[in-house]
Amino acid sequence: MDQNSRLATLAEWGTGSRYAAVFLLVLGLSAGAGLHAGCVSGQRIVNADSEPGNWLAHGRTYSEQRFSPLDEIDAGNVGSLGLAWSFSTGSKRGLEATPLVADGVMYVTGTWSRVYALDAASGELKWRFDPEVSGATARKACCDVVNRGVALWGDKLYLGTLDGRLIALDAADGTVAWQVMTVDPRGNYTITGAPRVVKGKVIIGNGGADLGVRGYFTAYDAETGAEIWRFYTVPADPATTAPEHPELKLALATWSKDSAWETGLGGTVWDSMAYDPEIDLLYVGVGNATPWNRQLRSPGGGDNLFVSSILAVNPDTGRLAWYYQTTPAETWDFTATQHIVLADLVIAGQPRKVLMQAPKNGFFYVLDRVTGELLSARNYVPVSWASGIDIATGRPIESGADWGDGPAAVQPGPLGGHNWQPMSFNPVTGLVYIPVTPNEYLFVPAADFTFRAGAWNTGQDLSQAVRILREAAPKTVDASSDAPSRLQAWDPVANRPAWHVDLAAFKAAGVLSTAGGLVFQGTGGSFVAYDAGTGDRLWASQTGVGIIAPPVSYSVDGEQYIAVMAGLGGNSLSSQPVNIENEGRILAYKPGGRATMPAFRERALPEPELPDLEIRDARVEQGEWLYITYCMSCHGLNAVSGGMLPDLRYASGEVHRDWMAIVLGGLLAQGGMAGFADVLRPEEARMIHAYVVNEARKIGPAAAPATAQPGDQQPQ
């Protein structure tokens, strides 16, 4: 179906006049105009540029440009930046949140969905809230126990928790106003994304597609927590469940009748949203399908709506105005949950209200956000799965990268050319700054696929892929996650790169641009400022602890600050080892700042305590397959930990002694290591143990860094 046909079909449903709703919108936005200082209304967010010292919403504004109008810090004085204050989160896992700042108070989330309210000028803790997520929930999270932030509305703060709750907190003291469970807790759902609040409605999605869930996003009343509407992104089995809303009738026609309904099909909404208050449309990015292998997922074909799509919906009703699918019938984990940015540009001599996205699939898209018309699309990283995008139809021109019948090396891989790390648009330079990771990945189809709830249901034979890569390129086995990253400046009007900066590691971090002509981004061990026009490196601060989170800028008493969270994790959880303890912290800089940077601590190397265990080649080989399937995403390829979680090669004698109780019985569940008795048999757990011990016997006494032992692990 081409773009015009899609719009005609949607028009038949009577979505109503979006423009008539503007009058209602104005009333809704104005309702909070008289609120006291510290309260956040829609009008304040719409007029964010009139109070540039605050950062009131996830992307600062509803357009999610992540551009600060503050210009006290510029190319001429950025060299005077110094640390103003730091705050320790007490965690050693991934920190990905965007801090919010309202009237001198910073609100930020850490691991395990914990919330911190800090004095934005001093870093002094005002209050802390712990939702007490069970450590066993970590198993449901594909990419660490992270959280990307909170939302502000009225006098409340809204938090999505890893275990699927939406909690409203009193912004003054962190007490709970209300909470609702947004998912079936028996399923493998998680929430890591930040809520958005539009017209008094809190919008939240969820994650878990790879583990077998059905995606949706929901609007709740900001005052009461009552559900207002829910949008399912994929249909359920029509034999058992009637379409819950009209859009699913359209979607159902794009799925095979023999689809793998038992898997839930995926399509989770776990990150990006943006809102245009003038057009009154909410834009939502939808994730990948499950299984990844489309031949297993939807035998006979079909586009599989609405996976890997951008949806434009009415925030009052949840009804669809238009959609654009970036990767029809996606089979490579090409989510469209990456950052969505709204801007007004002049294209081909005409002013256009546009939506921009650089999703995982490697193409940069510019759409008309009123109609959904595709205006341009060009690859921003090397791409092999498609030769281009047909502008007339909006569809990719695939180039033989379907791996359903045999192995295929594909660029980019599941890591994506651009992942969750937010990009920034600078309306002064007209450039978009994208954290990108060029990479290639080898897909190998599983010989026999059976859906297993709680396991990764991708349809791949991961162990075979690893072995093929190891034989072909021993030094680049993990090409999907160890490719170097870069900061890419992109001209969305000319549809081409403007400049780029190559980075030494794959750990791409979120981006901020400012009216001072600067771009800020963290790296594996430093925080850097670049010239927004040229990419020249102007300033850097050695942080020791790596950064993946996006920075923000705000001001207090006329002083401009730049703040960022430091702490590796997320999709870098199982990457190459780091030598510095991953101690989570918030760092705030200002001109003339004189605070002392917290000391870096190098990780010590314990001696492996190897048990007297019989090692047979057949058991090790089978154990490797099981380890790759169930353990690698957290504990690392070849059992080499990235440093955020225990390196099992250095496990203590107690861990080896209690191996079965830990792996099957969940002995350390409260510390984040849930039991796997539902998917592993005792003999399989012993095979994994044999593989880990075999890998440990290969190393010398100081071959690689290691983390604290599993027995010492606490939820952090």
Side-chain angles (χ1 to χ4, degrees):
M1 183 180 294
D2 63 22
Q3 183 69 33
N4 291 331
S5 299
R6 290 200 299 266
L7 294 172
T9 301
L10 293 171
E12 292 174 1
W13 299 345
T15 55
S17 171
R18 297 190 296 272
Y19 301 99
V22 171
F23 296 102
L24 296 175
L25 170 67
V26 171
L27 292 176
L29 293 175
S30 300
L35 294 173
H36 60 78
C39 287
V40 175
S41 65
Q43 191 63 51
R44 284 189 73 182
I45 299 174
V46 169
N47 294 330
D49 286 350
S50 68
E51 45 179 313
N54 287 322
W55 192 286
L56 301 177
H58 190 61
R60 195 185 70 85
T61 61
Y62 277 133
S63 62
E64 302 263 333
Q65 292 182 1
R66 291 182 177 266
F67 168 79
S68 172
L70 295 174
D71 60 3
E72 176 193 348
I73 303 169
D74 58 24
N77 64 10
V78 67
S80 69
L81 275 186
L83 189 68
W85 57 262
S86 66
F87 175 84
S88 173
T89 63
S91 64
K92 292 186 180 180
R93 297 180 69 164
L95 296 177
E96 299 184 352
T98 297
L100 302 188
V101 179
D103 305 309
V105 180
M106 176 183 289
Y107 305 94
V108 67
T109 56
T111 56
W112 299 101
S113 313
R114 293 168 182 148
V115 184
Y116 307 89
L118 308 172
D119 184 297
S122 68
E124 178 184 356
L125 180 67
K126 289 179 169 291
W127 55 258
R128 176 181 182 272
F129 173 74
D130 186 348
E132 298 181 345
V133 174
S134 168
T137 311
R139 180 181 155 188
K140 298 182 179 182
C142 84
C143 310
D144 205 359
V145 293
V146 297
N147 188 280
R148 296 187 192 92
V150 290
L152 281 165
W153 188 266
D155 57 1
K156 295 184 179 65
L157 195 70
Y158 300 91
L159 165 72
T161 65
L162 192 70
D163 56 10
R165 289 173 287 161
L166 178 65
I167 303 178
L169 302 173
D170 187 309
D173 58 16
T175 56
V176 176
W178 55 256
Q179 63 177 304
V180 295
M181 178 59 75
T182 71
V183 302
D184 183 344
R186 298 168 299 179
N188 290 297
Y189 287 99
T190 54
I191 294 177
T192 56
R196 310 301 203 278
V197 187
V198 173
K199 300 171 70 176
K201 301 171 186 65
V202 188
I203 318 296
I204 191 69
N206 46 61
D210 302 317
L211 298 178
V213 302
R214 182 188 180 200
Y216 58 85
F217 56 102
T218 313
Y220 295 90
D221 185 282
E223 286 302 313
T224 67
E227 182 178 323
I228 299 174
W229 54 257
R230 174 167 290 177
F231 190 107
Y232 286 94
T233 58
V234 294
D237 185 350
T240 61
T241 306
E244 290 90 343
H245 46 83
E247 294 83 352
L248 289 175
K249 295 178 181 178
L250 171 65
L252 193 58
T254 67
W255 291 82
S256 163
K257 63 181 178 61
D258 299 319
S259 292
W261 307 109
E262 70 278 8
T263 70
L265 303 180
T268 49
V269 174
W270 51 265
D271 200 7
S272 61
M273 299 182 199
Y275 174 61
D276 186 323
E278 180 182 351
I279 303 173
D280 196 21
L281 285 179
L282 172 72
Y283 306 95
V284 178
V286 183
N288 63 287
T290 188
W292 293 359
N293 186 338
R294 60 189 174 196
Q295 294 187 25
L296 297 173
R297 181 179 71 244
S298 182
D303 284 351
N304 294 179
L305 293 174
F306 291 99
V307 302
S308 300
S309 298
I310 300 168
L311 308 179
V313 301
N314 182 314
D316 290 321
T317 64
R319 294 284 66 83
L320 187 65
W322 59 260
Y323 73 91
Y324 177 80
Q325 190 173 36
T326 60
T327 315
E330 81 89 14
T331 194
W332 306 279
D333 190 29
F334 285 163
T335 64
T337 48
Q338 284 57 55
H339 197 197
I340 291 173
V341 175
L342 312 182
D344 294 343
L345 302 178
V346 176
I347 297 178
Q350 298 296 319
R352 305 294 293 259
K353 296 182 179 297
V354 307
L355 175 155
M356 298 179 286
Q357 190 188 47
K360 271 191 181 182
N361 72 13
F363 289 94
F364 187 92
Y365 295 86
V366 180
L367 306 176
D368 184 302
R369 68 176 181 269
V370 179
T371 66
E373 175 191 357
L374 178 64
L375 302 178
S376 66
R378 181 177 173 183
N379 62 297
Y380 61 90
V381 292
V383 167
S384 67
W385 71 275
S387 60
I389 306 296
D390 186 320
I391 298 299
T393 65
R395 298 181 69 87
I397 305 166
E398 289 195 25
S399 50
D402 188 342
W403 52 278
D405 295 322
V410 178
Q411 293 177 290
L415 182 66
H418 169 220
N419 209 292
W420 67 268
Q421 294 91 339
M423 62 189 189
S424 173
F425 171 69
N426 185 322
V428 178
T429 64
L431 299 178
V432 180
Y433 306 96
I434 317 169
V436 305
T437 308
N439 65 95
E440 185 175 28
Y441 183 85
L442 180 66
F443 291 89
V444 178
D448 298 297
F449 171 75
T450 301
F451 171 71
R452 303 177 76 177
W456 279 63
N457 293 282
T458 64
Q460 296 180 89
D461 186 337
L462 287 172
S463 63
Q464 185 66 14
V466 168
R467 289 166 186 165
I468 291 173
L469 284 169
R470 184 181 293 131
E471 293 172 4
K475 294 182 180 179
T476 57
V477 171
D478 197 12
S480 67
S481 64
D482 286 332
S485 63
R486 63 174 49 172
L487 175 60
Q488 178 71 68
W490 188 269
D491 186 331
V493 175
N495 195 27
R496 65 188 181 197
W499 54 259
H500 74 267
V501 176
D502 286 324
L503 304 174
F506 82 96
K507 301 174 182 69
V511 181
L512 164 73
S513 62
T514 74
L518 301 172
V519 176
F520 290 90
Q521 185 187 35
T523 69
S526 60
F527 188 45
V528 184
Y530 301 94
D531 185 292
T534 65
D536 292 339
R537 181 174 169 132
L538 302 178
W539 168 88
S541 170
Q542 296 304 309
T543 59
V545 177
I547 296 172
I548 53 176
V552 300
S553 187
Y554 62 92
S555 66
V556 179
D557 296 330
E559 288 189 299
Q560 183 180 354
Y561 293 76
I562 309 290
V564 69
M565 300 193 83
L568 295 178
N571 58 12
S572 65
L573 193 65
S574 60
S575 64
Q576 290 300 307
V578 293
N579 297 317
I580 302 296
E581 289 284 0
N582 192 46
E583 297 174 312
R585 55 191 59 155
I586 305 165
L587 304 172
Y589 297 84
K590 70 176 183 178
R594 297 182 180 278
T596 301
M597 181 70 67
F600 317 147
R601 290 198 304 144
E602 292 189 5
R603 183 172 293 109
L605 292 171
E607 290 288 342
E609 298 183 32
L610 300 178
D612 183 13
L613 192 68
E614 180 183 4
I615 302 295
R616 298 197 305 270
D617 289 347
R619 287 170 60 81
V620 169
E621 183 175 357
Q622 183 66 9
E624 179 185 34
W625 180 86
L626 292 164
Y627 175 89
I628 290 170
T629 303
Y630 296 104
C631 314
M632 183 180 71
S633 62
C634 286
H635 291 286
L637 184 71
N638 300 329
V640 179
S641 170
M644 281 60 81
L645 288 182
D647 190 313
L648 298 180
R649 300 170 305 158
Y650 293 91
S652 66
E654 289 78 11
V655 168
H656 289 297
R657 181 197 66 201
D658 297 333
W659 184 271
M660 301 298 283
I662 294 170
V663 175
L664 297 182
L667 180 63
L668 300 180
Q670 195 50 42
M673 175 60 199
F676 283 74
D678 58 323
V679 292
L680 288 174
R681 300 189 302 272
E683 178 61 17
E684 291 177 320
R686 284 189 281 269
M687 289 176 177
I688 295 174
H689 196 191
Y691 167 70
V692 168
V693 171
N694 190 61
E695 290 301 307
R697 290 179 179 177
K698 295 178 182 179
I699 62 177
T707 63
Q709 299 306 316
D712 300 327
Q713 186 182 3
Q714 297 295 325
Q716 296 177 339

